[in-house]
Amino acid sequence: MEKSRYGIKVRSRLSAEEAEARVRESLAGEGFSVLTEIDVAATLKEKLGVERPFYKILGACNPHLASEALDAEEDVGLLLPCNVVVYEAEGGSVVAALDPGAMGELAASPDLEPLMREARSRVERSLAAVEE
């Protein structure tokens, strides 16, 4: 698992389609629902005529954690849902997510810190299920 200033990423030998299915399943097991889906490759093809390999953005939300976060700081909704991207990469695919801890650093309420730690743990476990 790779970490950056704002994200968490895993590489997999699975195809992007297989990785997407697996991360959806693992997110669901951690209490997340995929609320939004953006097929970036299809959108760029339709709007710009640009061919691009598989690239999807999934907007994942854990309703319990989101509810608690909104109770702590109403404007935290600007940072929700947690974006998870799945894209083709040499030898397989990459699945990456916005680090909930990075979102928490932007928020003002200290009550969000334990929620963001919990969300980070759940996201990391979800991504680990795809890593190969």
Side-chain angles (χ1 to χ4, degrees), residues 10-131:
V10 297
R11 296 181 187 279
S12 177
R13 288 183 294 239
L14 297 172
S15 70
E17 292 87 354
E18 293 168 321
E20 177 190 1
R22 189 174 294 175
V23 78
R24 283 176 179 269
E25 183 179 318
S26 62
L27 284 165
E30 291 291 340
F32 289 87
S33 298
V34 174
L35 304 177
T36 60
E37 176 182 326
I38 302 168
D39 185 334
V40 176
T43 300
L44 293 177
K45 171 82 171 151
E46 177 187 333
K47 302 290 184 184
L48 303 175
V50 173
E51 292 285 340
R52 154 163 213 103
F54 185 103
Y55 194 108
K56 283 192 181 176
I57 302 170
L58 308 175
C61 178
N62 180 304
H64 298 290
L65 294 175
S67 179
E68 289 182 50
L70 289 166
D71 287 345
E73 185 174 327
E74 195 79 21
D75 288 337
V76 79
L78 292 166
L79 303 173
L80 301 175
C82 180
N83 281 334
V84 176
V85 298
V86 182
Y87 58 91
E88 283 184 23
E90 189 174 323
S93 58
V94 169
V95 180
L98 180 63
D99 181 351
M103 292 189 296
E105 290 175 16
L106 296 173
S109 174
D111 294 340
L112 288 172
E113 189 177 327
L115 296 171
M116 296 304 169
R117 277 196 313 270
E118 176 66 23
R120 177 190 286 144
S121 294
R122 290 173 183 244
V123 167
E124 286 177 342
R125 287 192 298 268
S126 295
L127 269 58
V130 180
E131 191 171 28

